[in-house]
């Protein structure tokens, strides 16, 4: 249904904002006037995944920590869930990766930027009593490297900025974003590519070669009269084609065959993002080749 990305400095109050957002969303969902689908609101955080703050001490430990968070996020996202990801999410590239994953599932998205000054983050970090205090050098490094979200970036939009001086979150705008906001279509680059079956290339070559031979035989029998004819390729495969009233040479058919095969070989090798199932049966190949010939054989 939706993905809410929380971002901000370490110890800036992100978890408190995540809880506030969840409470407001649950309240909306339980309201008697709500008539939408049945949804659940979940929070995913480093703490729930047992990712310790020391994982951010260096890049070698931080990379698998982000990987664990991303994997858990993918597992929990769905059309029946509003997922709040409560973590640092301080790198633009990582937020973009999350954005692409959500678009692939056609989820609504928004970003919540929890703002606090570096001095406040350091003060609140030292005062933490939950055992999740960042080492001073790690905290300073993360603050220095923090990449601030921008409403101009599509992966951060819509963006809700919540300063430390606000007692509560902008609940109604966030609710509108996750329940009525635009659903962006998946990027072509993130779509699953439909691969052709393993025998597709053999079927392509065999079918078009058989059609060329059948046309030459039918043309010899009709002495080049042209018109609609039925090509009896097998007991079940009998495509119809309209030929021009002239003698079609074998070299002309071979040239069109090579062009057709070259184009379709690329689709077989690289796959296709066409909607629906990709049909590489001999019937489908024959129909496509017949249409191609009719369009390219000059009268």
């Amino acid at each position: 249904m939706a993905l809410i990305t929380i971002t901000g400095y370490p110890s800036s109050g992100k978890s408190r904002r995540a809880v506030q957002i969840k409470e407001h969303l649950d309240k909306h969902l339980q309201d008697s006037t709500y008539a939408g689908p049945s949804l659940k609101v979940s929070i995913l955080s480093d703490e729930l995944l047992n990712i310790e703050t020391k994982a951010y001490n260096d890049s070698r430990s931080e990379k698998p920590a982000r990987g664990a968070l991303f994997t858990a996020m993918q597992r929990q996202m769905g059309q029946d869930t509003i997922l709040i990801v409560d973590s640092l999410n301080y790198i633009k590239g990582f937020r973009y990766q999350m954005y692409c994953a959500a678009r692939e599932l056609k989820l609504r998205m928004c970003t919540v930027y929890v703002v606090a000054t570096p001095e406040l983050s350091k003060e609140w970090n030292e005062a933490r009593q939950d055992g999740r205090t960042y080492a001073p050098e790690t905290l300073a490094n993360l603050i220095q490297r923090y990449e601030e979200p921008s409403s101009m970036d599509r992966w951060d939009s819509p963006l809700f900025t919540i300063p430390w001086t606000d007692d509560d979150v902008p609940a109604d705008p966030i609710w509108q974003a996750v329940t009525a906001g635009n659903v962006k279509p998946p990027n072509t680059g993130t779509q699953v590519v439909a691969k052709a079956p393993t025998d597709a290339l053999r079927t392509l070559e065999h079918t078009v070669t058989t059609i060329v031979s059948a046309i030459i035989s039918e043309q010899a029998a009709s002495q080049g009269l042209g018109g609609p004819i039925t090509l009896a390729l097998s007991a079940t495969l009998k495509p119809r084609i309209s030929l021009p009233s002239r003698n079609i040479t074998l070299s002309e058919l071979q040239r069109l065959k090579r062009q057709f095969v070259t184009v379709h070989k690329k689709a077989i090798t690289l796959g296709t993002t066409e909607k629906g199932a990709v049909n590489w049966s001999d019937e489908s190949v024959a129909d496509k080749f017949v249409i191609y010939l009719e369009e390219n054989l000059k009268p």
Side-chain angles (χ1 to χ4, degrees), residues 196-258:
T198 55
D199 64 342
L201 188 56
R202 186 200 64 80
T203 300
L204 174 66
E205 291 278 7
H206 174 73
T207 303
V208 297
T209 299
T210 304
I211 288 176
V212 168
S213 299
I215 290 174
I216 293 297
S217 299
E218 288 290 338
Q219 185 174 242
S222 65
Q223 298 181 348
L225 293 177
I229 61 173
T230 300
L231 304 175
L233 306 183
S234 69
T236 57
L237 186 58
K238 299 180 180 180
R240 288 182 60 80
I241 183 172
S242 293
L243 299 176
S245 300
R246 64 175 179 84
N247 184 48
I248 304 171
T249 64
L250 178 60
S251 61
E252 184 178 5
L253 288 173
Q254 293 284 21
R255 177 177 56 82
L256 293 175
K257 170 195 164 184
R258 285 194 300 270

Side-chain angles (χ1 to χ4, degrees), residues 24-126:
H24 284 293
L25 294 179
D26 283 334
K27 184 177 179 181
H28 276 289
L29 291 170
Q30 294 164 9
D31 193 286
S32 59
T33 60
Y34 175 69
S38 178
L39 300 172
K40 63 180 178 181
V41 184
S42 299
I43 295 177
L44 177 65
S45 66
D46 288 355
E47 184 176 4
L48 291 173
L49 294 175
N50 295 317
I51 298 174
E52 300 181 5
T53 56
K54 65 181 181 181
Y56 296 94
N57 288 352
D58 58 72
S59 58
R60 285 185 301 175
S61 57
E62 181 180 339
K63 188 174 181 179
R66 283 204 309 269
L69 178 68
F70 185 74
T71 300
M73 182 199 75
Q74 288 182 301
R75 189 166 54 245
Q76 294 190 33
M77 286 191 305
Q79 292 298 327
D80 63 342
T81 303
I82 299 174
L83 183 62
I84 304 170
V85 181
D86 170 25
S87 185
L88 292 175
N89 301 323
Y90 71 101
I91 300 173
K92 284 184 179 181
F94 186 59
R95 293 199 299 271
Y96 177 72
Q97 188 179 4
M98 297 166 69
Y99 162 84
C100 290
R103 282 188 66 173
E104 188 173 347
L105 294 178
K106 299 181 180 179
L107 305 183
R108 294 182 174 89
M109 294 159 281
C110 71
T111 301
V112 175
Y113 179 24
V114 180
V115 179
T117 64
E119 291 73 24
L120 274 176
S121 292
K122 293 175 183 177
E123 178 185 332
W124 292 341
N125 182 62
E126 293 171 358

